[in-house]
């Protein structure tokens, strides 16, 4: 057989290699910003057009390049940053592989203008698909400007694979934040499609974080600091009461390089243990300094993961340091534990008169809260009843037991009130028989299982409905209708809600303002970092608005589609997920029945907005099989 192996032409090899370095416009942003930092720039400007798809340009006032270096910089493995393999273990620069510019030049139209301090005149070079198309002398200031145009112009498949501008822009802003946070003494500017996005003057670390994440951030920060022989830690954690449900502000920097580390994240999370609820994440901006010899940053092509020689020691120190700061700044005693969500019955249920209590054990019971609010008061009967639904079920056919239950509850309840303390529990309002409202219109009985499922008899057996998914379906259809036909009703707020977001987040909310208004929001102000809301949809509680908007902004950043219809769909999904009755919330029989009725009035009651089944049925035949 004839020889068939050939060496790939350079431009093909470069294109393939480029795939490792450049996944999206944000990768270009990261590489160019890091090169500017390595060139000791003090002012860096990033200009982006169409979320980087048309243009990414970085201008710096760093050391610049000579005419020869300008040309060499685009060769693969051309770097000024290391000379020998040993240098890999003593890195003080961001770059060292010498492949970023070569990769970028293989898949875009690139223009470079640069001049060193001592040369009279600079150079202007253009490259397309790895080929230099011109190089001329040029009158330019000291420093470097690199413009990367039409990314992936020669790889249509990659270009088509790019996400919407909103998503790509989000990635760019993330990279920009990471570099800007690691280098507060450098001033940064960012423009998108001609308008200012960030203008960050040279400052200290705390002020840089505040400039990026908004002025309200300042009061949320707790400083962290520790120095030992192997590790220096500086930075801030966010006070536990400001922790967010969505993973947001979590930043580790090691020797001024942003890294991701689930292991170190765990160390910080465990330092927060007991200070935060389970479903939220700690926020932190932590700058670690270690001897460059003790880390290996070579294990990931885009270099966001590193390996420490002494991982365990670093874990322990980080955890202890964060714990110490949280204690020292007296975070624990001022913690305001959130109220039991079960009492904030969402939706129009909140307007109904209270009905008979359910006898579920309160799983969200929080001893700290009770102590703080009520001193030594005996807990109400609710928790002293036999556990969960079984008793309820048994009681269905047992009038005597039911009556006893009732009596016991009323006595207990009375005692609790008799202590002169107003109880916060829904079980306080005992009205009539425990089971009198269990009967639905059709004479059916429903009950709740584990505060999660609603069980209802049907003709041939029973139906088990997932309360959260069912409510999501109901809200989703209603919201989608409101957004598209614009007919929602607002509830006016007595005192407008003032909320603080970052500038880019406010921009995101502006983009969907119209749709949100269709659902019933009334925005009286939307500017810079502030949002003022004077009306909200009737479907939600004021206390849920912040969470809802936070989640919405988060979802939009992650997956906002380009077209109008899918945008509305995504908004409705996100809002429905935030607003729906959660698992763990106890529902009265009226609420259960109402939810079932609403569900079956939906167009597609069988699946949730995210395509999960909403209910399942079990017929007598299935049951019979279990008794043979
Ligand atoms: P690396 O950063 O890994 O060395 P790059 O491909 O990113 O590889 O850059 C190649 C070389 O080009 C760098 O080592 C540096 O000497 C030079 N260079 C790149 N960007 C700049 C810049 N903004 N200012 C000065 N020199 C630069
Ligand atoms: Mg580089």
């Amino acid at each position: 057989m004839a020889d068939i192996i050939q060496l790939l032409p350079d431009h093909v090899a470069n294109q393939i290699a480029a795939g490792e370095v450049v996944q999206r416009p944000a990768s270009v942003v990261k590489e160019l910003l890091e090169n500017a930092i390595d060139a000791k720039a003090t002012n860096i400007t990033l200009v982006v057009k169409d979320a980087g798809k048309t243009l990414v340009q970085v201008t710096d006032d760093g050391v610049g390049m000579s005419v020869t270096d300008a040309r060499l910089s685009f060769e693969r493995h051309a770097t000024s940053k290391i000379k020998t393999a040993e240098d890999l273990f003593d890195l003080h620069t961001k770059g060292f592989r010498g492949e970023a510019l070569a990769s970028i030049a293989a898949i875009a139209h690139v223009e470079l203008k640069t001049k060193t301090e001592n040369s009279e005149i600079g150079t202007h070079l253009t490259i397309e698909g790895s080929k230099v198309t011109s190089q001329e002398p040029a009158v330019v200031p000291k420093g470097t400007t690199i413009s990367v145009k039409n990314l992936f112009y020669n790889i249509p498949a990659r270009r088509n694979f790019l996400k919407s501008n909103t998503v790509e822009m989000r990635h760019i802003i993330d990279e920009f934040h990471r570099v800007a946070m690691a280098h507060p003494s450098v001033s940064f500017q960012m423009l998108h499609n001609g308008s200012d996005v960030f203008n960050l003057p040279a400052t200290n670390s705390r002020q840089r974080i505040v400039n990026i994440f908004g002025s309200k951030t300042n009061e949320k920060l707790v400083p962290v600091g520790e120095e030992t022989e192997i590790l220096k830690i500086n930075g801030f954690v966010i006070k536990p009461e400001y922790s967010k449900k969505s993973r947001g502000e979590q930043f580790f920097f090691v020797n001024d390089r942003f890294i991701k580390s689930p292991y170190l994240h765990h160390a910080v999370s465990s330092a927060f243990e007991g200070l935060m609820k389970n479903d939220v994440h700690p926020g932190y901006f932590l700058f670690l300094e270690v001897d460059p010899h003790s880390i290996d940053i070579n294990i990931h092509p885009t270099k966001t993961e590193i390996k420490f020689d002494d991982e365990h020691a670093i874990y322990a120190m980080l955890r202890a340091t964060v714990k110490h700061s949280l204690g020292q700044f007296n975070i624990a005693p001022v913690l305001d534990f959130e109220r039991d969500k079960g009492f904030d019955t969402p939706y129009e249920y909140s307007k109904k008169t209270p009905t008979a209590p359910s006898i579920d054990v309160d799983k969200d019971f929080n001893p700290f809260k009770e102590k703080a609010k009520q001193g030594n008061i005996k807990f109400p009967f609710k928790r002293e009843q036999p556990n969960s639904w079984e008793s309820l079920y048994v009681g269905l056919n047992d009038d005597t037991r039911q009556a006893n239950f009732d009596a016991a509850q009323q006595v207990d309840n009375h005692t609790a009130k008799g202590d002169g303390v107003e109880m916060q529990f829904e079980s306080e309002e005992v009205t009539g028989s425990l089971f009198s409202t269990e009967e639905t219109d059709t004479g059916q009985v429903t009950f709740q299982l584990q505060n999660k499922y609603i069980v209802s008899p049907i003709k041939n057996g029973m139906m088990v409905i997932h309360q959260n998914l069912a409510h999501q379906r109901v809200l989703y259809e209603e919201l989608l209708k409101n957004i598209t036909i614009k007919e929602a009703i607002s509830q006016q707020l007595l005192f407008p809600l003032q909320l603080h977001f970052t500038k880019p987040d406010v921009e995101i909310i502006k983009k969907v303002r119209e749709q949100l208004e269709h659902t019933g929001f009334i925005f009286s102000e939307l500017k810079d970092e502030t949002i003022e809301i004077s009306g909200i949809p009737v479907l939600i509680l004021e206390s849920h608005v912040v969470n809802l908007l936070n989640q919405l902004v988060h979802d939009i950043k992650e997956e906002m589609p380009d077209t109008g219809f899918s945008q509305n769909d995504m908004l409705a999904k996100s809002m429905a997920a935030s607003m729906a009755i959660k698992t763990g919330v106890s529902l009265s029989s009226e609420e259960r029945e109402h939810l079932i009725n609403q569900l079956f009035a939906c167009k597609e009651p069988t699946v949730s907005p995210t395509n999960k089944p909403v209910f399942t049925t079990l017929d007598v035949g299935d049951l019979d099989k279990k008794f043979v």
Side-chain angles (χ1 to χ4, degrees), residues 124-356:
H124 178 186
L125 184 145
T126 52
I127 293 199
E128 280 176 26
S130 299
K131 285 200 191 66
V132 176
T133 49
S134 76
Q135 183 168 13
E136 290 159 1
V139 180
V140 288
K142 174 203 159 205
T144 305
T145 294
I146 300 188
S147 315
V148 177
K149 297 176 192 159
N150 312 320
L151 191 67
F152 299 130
Y153 77 99
N154 51 357
I155 318 180
R158 296 291 300 275
R159 197 169 168 89
N160 294 337
F161 199 66
L162 293 177
K163 295 269 168 50
S164 69
N165 284 3
T166 317
V167 172
E168 293 302 341
M169 202 52 204
R170 182 67 236 154
H171 287 285
I172 289 178
I173 289 176
D174 282 347
E175 293 297 352
F176 178 82
H177 281 172
R178 291 165 184 176
V179 179
M181 255 185 284
H183 301 278
S185 60
V186 176
S187 84
F188 286 88
Q189 254 200 309
M190 172 171 173
L191 291 103
H192 185 216
N193 292 338
S195 48
D196 258 344
V197 186
F198 286 101
N199 202 339
L200 308 172
T203 177
N204 58 26
S205 184
R206 182 171 193 133
Q207 192 57 45
R208 175 59 52 93
I209 292 169
V210 170
N211 287 346
I212 291 177
F213 293 100
S215 49
K216 287 279 153 183
T217 315
N218 200 22
E219 68 204 53
K220 302 181 187 171
L221 301 177
V222 180
V224 174
E226 181 65 88
E227 190 166 353
T228 70
E229 275 198 357
I230 64 162
L231 174 69
K232 198 166 143 192
I233 306 175
N234 265 307
F236 308 90
V237 292
I238 292 188
K239 290 181 188 164
E241 66 260 40
Y242 296 109
S243 305
K244 286 190 184 164
K245 286 207 169 165
S246 53
R247 280 173 171 267
E249 284 118 34
Q250 298 170 335
F251 298 91
F252 283 120
F253 300 88
V254 174
N255 296 355
D256 296 338
R257 184 191 296 278
F258 170 80
I259 61 143
K260 286 184 185 146
S261 168
Y263 185 67
L264 296 185
H265 172 76
H266 192 270
V268 176
S269 295
S270 72
F272 273 78
E273 227 162 59
L275 297 175
M276 268 182 355
K277 299 202 313 136
N278 282 337
D279 56 347
V280 296
H281 305 283
Y284 50 82
F285 309 87
L286 294 167
F287 301 86
L288 281 58
E289 272 173 60
V290 294
D291 181 347
H293 289 97
S294 74
I295 50 172
D296 180 359
I297 42 184
N298 210 2
I299 59 175
H300 193 276
T302 48
K303 295 167 284 181
T304 52
E305 285 162 27
I306 66 171
K307 236 173 95 154
F308 297 93
D309 283 354
D310 201 350
E311 235 178 15
H312 295 306
I314 291 182
Y315 181 102
M317 250 180 265
L318 185 60
R319 180 169 185 268
T321 308
V322 172
K323 240 185 146 102
H324 178 75
S325 295
L326 288 172
Q328 203 181 18
F329 282 82
N330 242 351
I331 303 308
V334 300
L335 242 195
D336 178 18
F337 280 100
E338 229 183 77
R339 295 196 317 130
D340 183 337
K341 288 252 166 43
F343 304 132
D344 288 337
T345 317
Y347 208 27
E348 65 251 62
Y349 297 151
S350 56
K351 295 187 207 94
K352 296 202 168 163
T353 44
T355 50

Side-chain angles (χ1 to χ4, degrees), residues 390-406:
E390 282 155 284
S391 46
L392 180 60
Y393 195 70
V394 171
L396 286 176
N397 291 325
D398 186 346
D399 286 343
T400 336
R401 196 181 303 186
Q402 178 188 323
N404 289 344
F405 252 166
D406 267 345

Side-chain angles (χ1 to χ4, degrees), residues 466 501 520:
H466 192 290
F501 288 84

Side-chain angles (χ1 to χ4, degrees), residues 30-32 34-35 38 79 81 94-101 303:
K30 173 178 191 277
E31 294 298 337
L32 297 186
E34 291 190 345
N35 278 346
D38 285 344
T79 179
K81 298 170 194 175
K94 300 271 169 303
F96 57 87
R97 295 164 167 258
E99 53 186 8
L101 292 187
K303 295 167 284 181

